[in-house]
Amino acid sequence: FVGDSKQSIYRFRRADIEVFLGARDTFGDDTLSLTTNFRTTPPVIAWINHVFRGLISYEPGSQPAYEPLDPAPLREPPPAGPPVTLLGTVHTDDPNAELLREREAADVAAAVVAALGWKVADRRDDGGDAWRRARLGDITILLPARTSLPALERALGDRGIAYRAETSSLVYSTREVRDLLAAVRVLADPTDQLSLVTALRSVVFGCGDDDLVTYRLEHRGAWSLLAPLTDLPADHPVVEALGYLRDLRTQLPWLGPSEVLDRIVRDRRLFELGYAQARPRDLWRRLRFVIDQARAWSAAQGGTLRQYVEWARMQASESARVAETILPETDDDSVRIMTVHAAKGLEFPIAILSGMTTASRGARARVQVAFPPGEPLGLKVGTSLVTPEYEQFAPIDEQMDHHERLRLLYVACTRARDHLVVS
């Protein structure tokens, strides 16, 4: 058996750390610990050992004992830039979660600018380090959840920092993809007023708030694709947008989800709109990725447009926690943004861990089932029914979630090769 139980972070996919620990204890008479870390510089390893020696401690069936890492002999401290940087301060004004995310994003963007003056290493043939000045492509921002992504995108954009999201779940959370999917939701459900207004106000149709006001108050227009457009000015931006959506909706019986997405992207010139941004190729990559995934979904599922919309919604939700990495563009010098789950097994010259203030929401499904060892299954249905087995197992489940969150932090910190920044 070979594995690092400190990196067990896929419990939501039913990966059970207790199984590995039990196998090790049952068959591991001669346990060999491989502790030499060939990736990370000695100062970063010393910080990791100092921190996680106090965070990760042995709990039977739930948490392994922490074994300190040993740096490889040929790895050297970086000649320029701090090996470990801690961001953050004491907030005396009791900020809410949104304001806290904005402040953190601003600190992270400032750290990215500062990191461009640091040195990172390229490996020589003899295993030693050849140091050079850091580029944007050497920096990766790791997020445990996608909640802080919008604030981070705004902060990086305000400083003119090129970036790209490299996990599918992050792509589905970006503004451009959310705007595109809002238009698709309207086609799937023409009575969805919220999605309709969202699509109208987005770059897909470009209707301003003044257009919405005149359409609703002066022309008595309805927020529905099913309402007639007669007696309305044909050149009004909202009427034109509704006319386009209505025409496209009549063609849905002959179009799959990917074809609907592709039609909207091309008809509404979303590829061309990329030139209004600092990084058009990043927008093109996102749109192509979403269209390609819709095509793959249709080939695998063969479902309706409404079923695709529900699937796409899950890709951006916190409960999905997808860890599907997009192929990187190696010729694109930009900061990478990834979830910690997607970064497992990878390494980065400069790793910035952000978004740790996000609280774990836990399971939010209406029906929850637990399988306590040696006990009947436990059941919780909303707030009306909780069986004794579930109630007894719930504290154990919460403890295991807490232990995995510590392991997630460990995985994130050990992705750094030369410099580690922790918010």
Side-chain angles (χ1 to χ4, degrees), residues 208-221:
D209 290 340
D210 53 343
D211 298 322
L212 301 180
V213 169
T214 56
Y215 169 79
R216 182 66 172 176
L217 299 183
E218 293 185 13
H219 304 295
R220 304 297 179 183

Side-chain angles (χ1 to χ4, degrees), residues 195-216:
S195 295
L196 176 58
V197 174
T198 300
L200 292 173
R201 295 181 72 248
S202 71
V203 296
V204 179
F205 296 104
C207 297
D209 290 340
D210 53 343
D211 298 322
L212 301 180
V213 169
T214 56
Y215 169 79
R216 182 66 172 176

Side-chain angles (χ1 to χ4, degrees), residues 3-215:
D4 184 359
S5 50
K6 299 192 301 300
Q7 297 191 50
S8 175
I9 59 173
Y10 281 99
R11 186 166 178 260
F12 63 90
R13 289 184 176 178
R14 303 188 66 81
D16 190 349
I17 188 175
E18 187 174 6
V19 172
F20 183 86
L21 296 178
R24 183 198 63 188
D25 295 340
T26 301
F27 302 104
D29 292 336
D30 299 318
T31 302
L32 175 64
S33 297
L34 306 178
T35 60
T36 303
N37 183 305
F38 294 89
R39 168 190 300 145
T40 310
T41 56
V44 177
I45 288 182
W47 184 87
I48 291 173
N49 286 336
H50 173 74
V51 170
F52 287 96
R53 188 180 288 111
L55 288 181
I56 296 180
S57 57
Y58 176 72
E59 292 286 344
S62 178
Q63 194 77 306
Y66 183 76
E67 293 185 272
L69 300 172
D70 300 315
L74 294 180
R75 289 254 53 194
E76 304 171 355
V84 179
T85 302
L86 301 182
L87 303 179
T89 184
V90 176
H91 302 273
T92 59
D93 56 345
D94 191 24
N96 59 27
E98 183 63 28
L99 181 57
L100 191 62
R101 283 192 288 267
E102 291 178 0
R103 292 178 180 178
E104 180 183 42
D107 288 344
V108 169
V112 170
V113 174
L116 295 178
W118 300 350
K119 293 293 184 68
V120 298
D122 291 327
R123 303 289 174 82
R124 299 196 306 260
D125 293 339
D126 62 0
D129 296 329
W131 297 94
R132 59 170 175 81
R133 188 181 181 90
R135 302 188 299 263
L136 287 177
D138 298 316
I139 304 172
T140 300
I141 301 174
L142 302 177
L143 304 176
R146 298 178 289 278
T147 311
S148 57
L149 178 62
L152 184 59
E153 287 185 314
R154 289 192 297 269
L156 295 175
D158 290 343
R159 284 184 171 262
I161 300 172
Y163 66 91
R164 65 182 187 268
E166 285 203 353
T167 304
S168 62
S169 52
L170 296 182
V171 170
Y172 282 95
S173 299
T174 57
R175 179 178 58 84
E176 300 87 356
V177 174
R178 293 201 309 267
D179 292 343
L180 174 61
L181 292 177
V184 178
R185 285 198 302 270
V186 175
L187 295 173
D189 181 3
T191 63
D192 187 346
Q193 298 184 12
L194 178 60
S195 295
L196 176 58
V197 174
T198 300
L200 292 173
R201 295 181 72 248
S202 71
V203 296
V204 179
F205 296 104
C207 297
D209 290 340
D210 53 343
D211 298 322
L212 301 180
V213 169
T214 56
Y215 169 79

Side-chain angles (χ1 to χ4, degrees), residues 329-345:
E329 300 184 21
T330 55
D331 62 336
D332 187 18
D333 187 28
S334 59
V335 175
R336 304 164 69 181
I337 305 175
M338 305 179 70
T339 59
V340 179
H341 285 93
K344 184 180 178 183

